[in-house]
């Protein structure tokens, strides 16, 4: 900044501070210092050579500290946790097509509007599968009720249910070897948990693989490494040209029980009753909130989590936490009087659990402006203690992000890992847009995933504060850098 312009700059700065303090009287201590930092840093950045990205990013050290201070120790402490508790306790679970999901979208639209953000609802069409009444019982070699959860998109059984002998296998390969034994039976998959990415194939494709060899239904061992007799649901995919048969998840304990019985040569008979059905697609919305950029409002840094959940538990971990920190990041930035060069946009996706349905329609609508998307971010692996940021992008973009995560030293999350994850941002990353996801201490994530155990009891306020701080620092700094991330 030229010295001749200094009086004008100081007058503008005083006006900004006066406006911010009037708007946010309860955060004046944080607002004033952070606004000064932003105003100075924005002017300073213009004088930094584009090649010296380390110097440019380091200029945001004070801003990052202000965000972290507000989120973790200041007036916003525990706010994302309280917001999540209020939301999930009020609405409950939010499966695609349900009245609860409609209520959730209205709730978040109102809440983010009252928070002073620009909020919009973008229409989408989403699947509407309903579980109906369901039960399973072992009839032989002894009587036992089996805890089950029907899998998404499953068909139902006849009203009287399906009563059949069971064939227990531990892999698709074993099913193929024993194909002649599967005709007319209920196939039970007792596959061991290796990793979610590998083991989920049994949930997704077990029904079709069993139907190929003549099975009448399938019961899939829940995809989890830990269970207290709790079944875990999820989406499953019928394959084209294969007969559709009912399918549900059972507990780890019951799958192992039937495996042991089968190993002894005991005849196992199960009656399965499911009222599941698929209704026509329904109208819904992706929920979008923004802080408009002051210099490049058409360029976007996108933060996201999905608002829908399965129809069990509260959907607090999957993915209420991700949705809340994506809102909280904007709140922190707003409360500090910060406004980046580019627009910060939070999108709360709908129908993620059905395969990223809302996100795919968002991509189809906005890909015409793909060059304006700077970074897409998604949190969908829980909001436990953050340990790193995962990133997918060019080598040049990675060098920028390596400098950005250094700003997270106060919360000890300066590690940048490869391979960002996220169903909802994957179309953008596949198209070459840089993507980032939150890596947390998620060893317990699949204990509760898609089960009745996904409740507020899983969440910790401080963990959510730390996740919110990371999310806000990364998104704000990237949105305010002089240049977009290199593609």
């Amino acid at each position: 900044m030229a010295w001749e312009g200094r009086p004008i700059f100081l007058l503008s700065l005083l006006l900004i501070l006066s406006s911010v303090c009037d708007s946010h009287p309860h955060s004046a201590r944080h607002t004033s210092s952070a606004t000064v930092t932003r105003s100075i840093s924005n002017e300073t950045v213009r004088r930094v050579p584009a090649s010296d990205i380390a110097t440019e990013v380091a200029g945001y050290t004070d801003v990052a500290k202000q965000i972290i201070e507000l989120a973790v120790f200041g007036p916003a402490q525990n706010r994302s946790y309280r917001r999540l508790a209020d939301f999930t306790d009020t609405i409950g679970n939010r499966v695609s097509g349900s009245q609860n999901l409609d209520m959730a979208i209205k709730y978040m639209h109102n809440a983010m509007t009252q928070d002073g953000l620009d909020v919009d609802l973008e229409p989408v069409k989403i699947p509407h599968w309903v579980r109906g009444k369901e039960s399973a019982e072992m009839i032989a070699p002894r009587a036992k009720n089996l805890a089950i959860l029907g899998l998404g998109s499953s068909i139902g059984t006849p009203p009287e249910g399906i009563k059949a002998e069971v064939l227990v296998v531990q892999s698709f390969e074993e099913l193929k070897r024993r194909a002649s034994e599967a005709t007319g039976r209920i196939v039970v998959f007792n596959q061991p948990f290796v990793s979610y990415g590998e083991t989920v194939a049994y949930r997704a494709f077990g029904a079709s693989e069993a139907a190929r060899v003549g099975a009448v239904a399938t019961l899939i061992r829940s995809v989890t490494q830990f269970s207290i007799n709790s079944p875990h649901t999820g989406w499953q995919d019928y394959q084209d040209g294969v007969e559709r048969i009912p399918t549900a998840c059972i507990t780890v304990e019951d799958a192992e029980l039937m495996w042991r019985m089968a190993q002894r040569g005991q005849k196992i008979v199960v009656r399965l009753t499911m009222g599941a059905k698929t209704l026509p697609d329904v109208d819904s919305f992706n929920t979008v909130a923004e802080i408009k950029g002051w210099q490049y409002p058409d360029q976007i840094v996108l933060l996201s989590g999905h608002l829908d959940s399965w129809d069990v538990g509260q959907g607090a971990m999957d993915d209420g936490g991700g949705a809340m920190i994506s809102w909280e990041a904007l709140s922190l930035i707003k409360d500090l009087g910060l406004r980046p060069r580019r627009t910060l946009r939070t999108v709360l996706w709908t129908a993620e659990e059905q395969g990223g349905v809302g996100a795919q329609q968002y991509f189809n609508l906005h890909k015409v402006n793909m060059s304006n998307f700077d970074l897409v971010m998604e949190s969908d692996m829980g909001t436990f203690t953050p340990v790193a940021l995962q990133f997918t992008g060019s080598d040049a973009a990675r060098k920028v992000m390596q400098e950005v995560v250094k700003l997270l030293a106060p919360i000890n999350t300066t590690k940048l890992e490869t391979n960002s994850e996220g169903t909802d941002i994957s179309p953008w990353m596949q198209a070459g847009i840089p993507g980032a996801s939150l890596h947390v201490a998620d060893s317990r994530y699949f204990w509760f995933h898609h089960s009745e155990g996904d409740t507020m009891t899983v969440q910790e306020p401080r963990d959510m504060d730390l996740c919110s701080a990371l999310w806000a620092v990364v998104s704000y700094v990237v949105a305010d850098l002089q240049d977009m991330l290199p593609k």
Side-chain angles (χ1 to χ4, degrees):
M1 178 177 57
W3 285 105
E4 291 79 4
R6 189 178 184 188
I8 296 175
F9 167 67
L10 291 175
L11 176 60
S12 300
L13 182 58
L14 289 172
L15 290 173
I16 291 171
L17 289 174
S18 173
S19 171
V20 169
C21 290
D22 288 344
S23 301
H24 307 286
H26 300 296
S27 58
R29 178 171 64 88
H30 298 275
T31 303
S32 58
S33 59
T35 306
V36 171
T37 304
R38 180 189 66 82
S39 300
I40 293 173
S41 68
N42 282 343
E43 293 297 325
T44 303
V45 161
R46 293 169 187 159
R47 297 201 305 267
V48 176
S51 60
D52 194 359
I53 190 64
T55 301
E56 181 182 0
V57 174
Y60 291 92
T61 299
D62 289 342
V63 176
K65 288 179 179 178
Q66 289 285 336
I67 293 172
I68 292 168
E69 168 70 19
L70 175 58
V72 181
F73 306 106
Q77 185 182 33
N78 299 343
R79 183 169 63 186
S80 57
Y81 176 89
R82 291 194 303 269
R83 284 174 166 176
L84 179 59
D86 290 346
F87 172 68
T88 56
D89 290 348
T90 299
I91 304 298
N93 52 57
R94 310 166 296 279
V95 73
S96 176
S98 68
Q99 183 178 1
N100 275 21
L101 180 57
D102 290 342
M103 292 169 56
I105 293 168
K106 292 175 184 176
Y107 180 106
M108 291 303 298
H109 180 274
N110 291 338
M112 292 193 294
T113 300
Q114 291 172 13
D115 194 33
L117 301 172
D118 294 329
V119 188
D120 190 24
L121 298 178
E122 296 194 4
V124 293
K125 283 278 191 182
I126 62 173
H128 188 193
W129 175 82
V130 293
R131 178 178 305 285
K133 292 183 178 180
E134 57 188 15
S135 65
E137 57 181 329
M138 182 191 297
I139 299 170
R142 65 176 175 88
K144 184 185 187 304
N145 288 327
L146 305 174
I148 68 166
L149 283 175
L151 293 176
S153 83
S154 177
I155 65 169
T157 65
E160 67 277 12
I162 294 174
K163 178 182 174 182
E165 187 174 345
V166 163
L167 171 66
V168 187
V169 298
Q170 289 192 299
S171 66
F172 289 136
E173 290 72 20
E174 183 180 359
L175 176 65
K176 291 177 182 177
R177 291 197 307 269
R178 303 178 65 185
S180 62
E181 302 175 54
T183 303
R185 293 192 180 185
I186 296 174
V187 169
V188 171
F189 285 99
N190 180 41
Q191 77 287 344
F193 183 90
V194 179
S195 68
Y196 184 75
E198 181 175 341
T199 311
V200 75
Y202 289 88
R203 189 192 77 198
F205 308 119
S208 289
E209 290 303 309
R212 291 182 197 277
V213 291
V216 294
T218 55
L219 296 174
I220 316 293
R221 171 173 162 164
S222 288
V223 185
T224 179
Q225 71 272 56
F226 176 79
S227 175
I228 305 179
N229 205 45
S230 53
H232 297 233
T233 189
W235 195 251
Q236 68 89 34
D237 293 298
Y238 287 123
Q239 302 301 290
D240 292 340
V242 181
E243 183 180 357
R244 299 186 174 196
I245 60 175
T247 181
C249 266
I250 57 175
T251 70
V252 171
E253 294 88 340
D254 285 339
E256 291 183 341
L257 169 65
M258 287 189 276
W259 169 254
R260 292 193 301 271
M261 289 176 168
Q263 292 301 102
R264 298 186 191 108
Q266 293 175 296
K267 180 179 178 180
I268 307 168
V269 178
V270 166
R271 178 183 288 112
L272 174 68
T273 304
M274 295 175 60
K277 55 185 175 181
T278 298
L279 302 176
D281 288 356
V282 299
D283 295 323
S284 189
F285 301 92
N286 290 318
T287 309
V288 182
E290 290 186 339
I291 295 176
K292 286 287 187 184
W294 65 267
Q295 186 173 13
Y296 307 114
D298 293 334
Q299 295 176 4
I300 307 297
V301 169
L302 185 151
L303 309 89
S304 69
H306 65 86
L307 202 57
D308 66 296
S309 74
W310 278 104
D311 56 341
V312 289
Q314 289 183 285
M317 181 191 74
D318 184 17
D319 183 33
M324 290 300 149
I325 68 166
S326 296
W327 169 19
E328 179 68 13
L330 296 194
S331 292
L332 293 168
I333 291 162
K334 173 185 63 66
D335 289 350
L336 287 169
L338 300 170
R339 188 181 176 193
R341 296 174 185 273
R342 296 171 189 83
T343 293
L344 283 173
R345 177 180 295 171
T346 285
V347 183
L348 307 183
W349 312 108
T350 194
E352 185 276 346
E353 298 291 3
Q354 286 64 41
V357 175
Q360 184 63 54
Q361 292 178 51
Y362 180 92
F363 176 77
N364 293 342
L365 179 64
H366 293 277
K367 63 183 179 182
V368 65
N369 298 315
M370 187 177 300
S371 62
N372 282 334
F373 282 79
D374 189 4
L375 175 67
V376 291
M377 301 168 62
E378 180 174 359
S379 171
D380 189 19
M381 282 296 292
T383 45
F384 302 107
T385 305
V387 297
L389 186 73
Q390 297 166 320
F391 179 74
T392 296
S394 67
D395 290 343
R398 177 168 295 279
K399 290 178 181 178
V400 177
M401 296 303 293
Q402 286 172 338
E403 298 301 324
V404 172
V405 296
K406 291 178 181 178
L407 300 172
L408 299 168
I411 55 173
N412 197 31
T413 52
T414 58
K415 186 177 182 181
L416 187 70
E417 298 176 341
T418 57
N419 298 327
S420 176
E421 300 177 349
T423 297
D424 293 318
I425 61 172
S426 60
W428 296 98
M429 293 191 295
Q430 291 168 9
I433 302 301
S437 57
L438 190 60
H439 182 188
V440 299
D442 57 4
S443 61
R444 296 182 299 137
Y445 181 78
F446 291 108
W447 295 12
F448 312 107
H449 182 249
H450 296 181
S451 78
E452 291 286 4
D454 184 357
T455 68
M456 279 304 300
T457 303
V458 176
Q459 303 294 133
E460 291 290 342
R462 180 172 174 80
D463 287 348
M464 293 193 67
D465 290 343
L466 294 171
C467 291
S468 298
L470 184 156
W471 224 224
V473 169
V474 171
S475 61
Y476 172 75
V477 172
V478 172
D480 200 53
L481 291 175
Q482 183 172 345
D483 298 316
M484 296 177 71
L485 293 175
K487 301 296 193 290

